[in-house]
Amino acid sequence: MITAAYGSWRSPISADLIVQGSVGLSGVMLSGGDRYWLESRPTERGRTTLIRQSATGQIEELTPTPWNVRTRAHEYGGGSYCIDQGEVYFSHDKDQRLYRLILGQDPQPLTPELPLKFADGLIDRQRQRWIGVREDHRPEGEAIDAIVAIPLTGEPSEGQILTIGADFYASPRLSADGQRLAWLTWSHPNMPWDGTELWVAEFLADGSLATPQKVAGGDRESVFQPEWLPDGRLGFVSDRSSWWNLYSWDGQNTQAIAPTEAEFGLPQWVFGMRTWAPIDGDRWLAASTKAGHWSLSLVDLATGSLKPFDLPFTDISGLVVEGDRALFTAANTDRPGAVIELQISSGEWQVLKSSSSLDLDPRYLSIPQSISFPSANGRVAYGHFYPPNNPDYRAPAGEKPPLLVKSHGGPTAQTRSSLSLGIQYWTSRGIAVLDVDYGGSTGYGRPYRDALQGQWGIVDVEDCAAGAQWLADQGLVDGDRLCIDGGSAGGYTTLCALTFTDVFKAGASRYGIGDLKALAEDTHKFESRYLDGLIGPWPEAADLYRERSPIHHVEQLNCPVIFFQGLEDKVVPPAQAETMVAALKAKGLPVAYVLFPEEQHGFRQAANIKRSLEGELYFYSQIFGFDLADEIEPVAIANWPKA
């Protein structure tokens, strides 16, 4: 083994390898024996395409260039396509119109060239129409949401409104007999994980809806993913017990199904999320998470029992069922994400498509350790710790590794213990990583998720700092080389941690929030009242917004920071990063700013993903003084080297 300082180890997990050998996998569907999924390709500037694998195993790309299957409804999208009788209905990113694709023909638009966005659709075959969510950007001010019906034939149509009046809609679901529609709705200032409502209505002869009936939900109950059962009952997920658990409704009464202290739901940042599916009237298939690990179970409605499948996955999402087959995406600590097909009766499974074609030697992988640690005010926080690992190297005697703390976005997201090459990039070079599930994260019940209410910029920061300090106190990392990074909301936590604590010595913000006032005044509808719960109502709580905005407290920030930002970002506009960079330059702190002209919120293009990874590593190498094993294009660092 070679003796070399932590951070300077040569690794086979390069940034080029990560972006060139991987695709994003999502949006799985089953229809008529065929399997479908979406592939997001960094090497094609982040374009998302629809793939079909026929019942005979033949794989075909249904939406080649220039088609890009993506909706921007609610800005974050999701639910961008549906399948019915072999026909595809999808949103195209460039114009946000809804298209119908009959195999062997060119896609044809179903909607006109208007500022409309469509998502989360299904086909009402009885009435020959698409039903889904429409986001209308024609009025001044906020966009208007509705559930609409769009004819499958004739001239492009903006759709017949079926229900309107709430601020947001999602998850329209058609009953098996086609006579009833269920859907979710919520209104400002709630986010869908705060409080949603589940509604049901019958169709009238003209295709409109009769008087809707509220089935579940409210301001303090979050309902997730309704699905109709073959016998006419309605299944759904609710957190009324403090855990997102399974329920059924028979038209009059609601029954809890297999209550357990685990989460069967997720924060609905995007449309089309699915964690459970009915197999028949008596059995469901359901994925749940507890303490950061996902599992898949067979749910017996008669006995209320859960029977877990013996599967080698710690991360499961996007579950759909057809007959005896289930399709989902899954990953493990040592295997990349993949589209998985499961035979429910036998428990046998196979990989249909892997997100990575890389054949990595597992000896270079760091296996995460689930940890809990004490935080402020007697709280306990959670995370996954990845120690440095590379079979070719050892560190000099007595040296402890730098630690990179990762603060996830959302901030209601959760860390995943599945293989992340973006994390292995660091650990295989000799840098430890702590992926923190700070208070506010999903996966630990509603009280833990609510810990961030009114406390954003406090609880999350305390937990990230406590985790780093705890690892240093245990002698596992170098307390003088603690750094932190994050994107979006995680970028805000990063900037707060760098500003309001003295634990970290450097950090990196990807499209992070520096000024809460700017976010409250200049963001899209979906998040326009998000801060009411996390901080307080705007502008009544203006003093709190200023108090917790790092940009107004640069005098407290005394360590180097690097910023990565997309020029076309509408969620967190570049002005926030640029204001922060200018303030740090003026103060004389080492600061770097990397701008990507054609990126939005979140980096999709291979070259930019690579640059942000390598740029961050270069930045830390300069600040912490370790040599790099690879040739990396330098990043311009203002006020560096120090005079």
Side-chain angles (χ1 to χ4, degrees):
M1 295 178 72
I2 303 169
T3 300
Y6 287 116
S8 65
W9 301 351
R10 187 175 300 278
S11 168
I13 306 173
S14 67
D16 276 322
L17 201 68
I18 292 173
V19 298
Q20 291 177 5
S22 63
V23 296
L25 298 172
S26 63
V28 299
M29 291 284 180
L30 284 167
S31 181
D34 295 339
R35 306 94 161 174
Y36 300 83
W37 63 83
L38 294 173
E39 290 188 8
S40 178
R41 298 173 174 175
T43 55
E44 297 183 28
R45 303 173 66 85
R47 186 180 75 89
T48 299
T49 187
L50 179 61
I51 304 298
R52 180 184 70 154
Q53 184 185 63
S54 69
T56 61
Q58 182 178 358
I59 293 180
E60 177 184 8
E61 181 179 5
L62 300 182
T63 53
T65 304
W67 299 104
N68 190 351
V69 183
R70 183 185 178 194
T71 177
R72 303 199 187 191
H74 292 183
E75 194 63 33
Y76 295 104
S80 57
Y81 84 99
C82 65
I83 306 290
D84 185 77
Q85 297 183 4
E87 297 177 358
V88 179
Y89 302 84
F90 71 95
S91 290
H92 177 44
D93 183 50
K94 184 176 181 180
D95 57 16
Q96 289 298 292
R97 298 172 76 182
L98 187 65
Y99 286 81
R100 180 187 193 183
L101 172 61
I102 299 174
L103 299 186
Q105 301 180 20
D106 292 332
Q108 297 299 315
L110 294 178
T111 59
E113 293 184 86
L114 291 172
L116 306 171
K117 301 175 183 179
F118 301 90
D120 220 2
L122 56 86
I123 300 303
D124 178 4
R125 188 57 66 177
Q126 288 184 24
R127 301 167 186 87
Q128 289 294 300
R129 58 188 188 170
W130 178 96
I131 294 176
V133 177
R134 185 188 73 186
E135 189 176 79
D136 188 347
H137 289 260
R138 288 174 293 184
E140 290 188 12
E142 283 196 335
I144 296 176
D145 271 29
I147 292 180
V148 302
I150 295 171
L152 301 185
T153 57
E155 293 297 315
S157 167
E158 62 184 70
Q160 170 196 1
I161 293 175
L162 298 181
T163 180
I164 195 170
D167 289 322
F168 302 97
Y169 290 88
S171 305
R173 297 290 190 269
L174 191 64
S175 62
D177 62 7
Q179 299 307 303
R180 291 181 292 174
L181 189 73
W183 67 91
L184 295 177
T185 186
W186 66 97
S187 290
H188 290 317
N190 277 337
M191 300 300 285
W193 46 89
D194 295 325
T196 54
E197 296 177 348
L198 172 58
W199 292 82
V200 170
E202 292 187 358
F203 286 109
L204 299 174
D206 64 356
S208 63
L209 291 174
T211 305
Q213 174 186 1
K214 190 172 87 166
V215 172
D219 284 340
R220 296 293 299 164
E221 179 184 357
S222 173
V223 181
F224 174 84
Q225 194 200 338
E227 300 286 352
W228 290 100
L229 308 182
D231 60 9
R233 286 179 296 165
L234 184 65
F236 60 93
V237 175
S238 166
D239 70 352
R240 61 180 61 181
S241 70
S242 295
W243 295 88
W244 266 316
N245 273 199
L246 301 166
Y247 294 84
S248 69
W249 176 74
D250 63 7
Q252 292 184 330
N253 301 309
T254 298
Q255 177 184 0
I257 307 296
T260 182
E261 290 189 353
E263 301 274 46
F264 292 83
L266 289 165
Q268 295 181 77
W269 279 102
V270 298
F271 292 102
M273 304 174 85
R274 289 180 167 88
T275 60
W276 73 278
I279 303 169
D280 49 42
D282 300 317
R283 298 177 304 156
W284 298 356
L285 200 63
S288 61
T289 181
K290 188 169 186 178
H293 294 274
W294 283 84
S295 60
L296 188 67
S297 298
L298 187 67
V299 183
D300 187 318
L301 271 66
T303 63
S305 63
L306 294 170
K307 181 181 179 182
F309 284 85
D310 183 16
L311 299 172
F313 307 119
T314 59
D315 191 359
I316 296 171
S317 60
L319 179 66
V320 292
V321 167
E322 184 180 64
D324 190 46
R325 295 184 305 151
L327 204 65
F328 51 90
T329 56
N332 199 351
T333 56
D334 60 356
R335 75 174 69 225
V339 176
I340 304 295
E341 182 178 78
L342 171 73
Q343 295 298 129
I344 299 171
S345 57
S346 68
E348 296 179 356
W349 59 274
Q350 62 175 325
V351 174
L352 302 185
K353 171 69 177 183
S354 176
S355 64
S356 175
S357 58
L358 306 178
D359 185 18
L360 285 175
D361 186 336
R363 296 180 305 147
Y364 289 91
L365 300 180
S366 176
I367 303 303
Q369 305 167 9
S370 296
I371 64 170
S372 59
F373 49 88
S375 188
N377 300 312
R379 293 194 316 274
V380 174
Y382 305 90
H384 293 107
F385 175 59
Y386 296 78
N389 185 60
N390 187 315
D392 302 328
Y393 290 89
R394 62 178 168 228
E399 184 182 359
K400 296 175 183 177
L403 173 70
L404 174 60
V405 170
K406 289 196 163 289
S407 56
H408 64 65
T412 54
Q414 67 176 148
T415 65
R416 305 280 181 151
S417 59
S418 53
L419 176 62
S420 166
L421 294 180
I423 288 178
Q424 303 296 332
Y425 177 84
W426 299 98
T427 57
S428 59
R429 285 169 170 76
I431 298 174
V433 172
L434 173 62
D435 207 0
V436 182
D437 263 340
Y438 49 76
S441 301
T442 296
Y444 303 87
R446 175 123 193 181
Y448 194 80
R449 197 168 77 241
D450 283 347
L452 215 57
Q453 290 295 300
Q455 299 295 307
W456 194 30
I458 297 178
V459 165
D460 49 327
V461 172
E462 289 172 343
D463 290 355
C464 286
Q469 191 61 60
W470 185 81
L471 288 172
D473 292 345
Q474 301 300 307
L476 299 174
V477 299
D478 185 347
D480 291 325
R481 292 192 292 174
L482 305 177
C483 50
I484 183 171
D485 75 6
S488 192
Y492 169 69
T493 299
T494 291
L495 293 173
C496 285
L498 296 170
T499 303
F500 301 126
T501 80
D502 59 3
V503 171
F504 299 100
K505 309 307 178 185
S509 168
R510 287 175 173 80
Y511 38 90
I513 302 154
D515 185 357
L516 293 173
K517 174 179 180 291
L519 182 65
E521 293 182 335
D522 186 16
T523 191
H524 55 100
K525 177 185 176 182
F526 182 72
E527 288 188 289
S528 63
R529 299 290 300 277
Y530 188 18
L531 300 189
D532 283 30
L534 294 174
I535 305 291
W538 175 263
E540 293 85 349
D543 290 346
L544 269 180
Y545 280 68
R546 183 177 182 86
E547 179 183 320
R548 296 192 201 164
S549 294
I551 188 62
H552 297 301
H553 304 278
V554 178
E555 74 282 356
Q556 297 181 42
L557 204 166
N558 291 297
C559 67
V561 188
I562 185 169
F563 295 79
F564 300 92
Q565 178 68 43
L567 184 60
E568 297 180 8
D569 192 337
K570 295 181 180 179
V571 179
V572 181
Q576 291 207 33
E578 290 163 2
T579 301
M580 195 81 177
V581 168
L584 294 176
K585 281 183 179 179
K587 191 178 180 184
L589 285 170
V591 60
Y593 181 46
V594 181
L595 183 65
F596 300 124
E598 296 181 2
E599 283 287 11
Q600 299 162 31
H601 193 69
F603 302 152
R604 293 171 173 264
Q605 300 180 35
N608 299 339
I609 296 170
K610 173 188 175 183
R611 180 61 171 154
S612 64
L613 262 176
E614 292 186 338
E616 186 176 354
L617 177 62
Y618 175 85
F619 187 75
Y620 295 148
S621 75
Q622 296 297 299
I623 302 306
F624 293 141
F626 57 80
D627 295 328
L628 293 174
D630 307 307
E631 290 291 330
I632 292 179
E633 180 185 351
V635 173
I637 306 175
N639 302 321
W640 188 263
K642 293 180 179 179

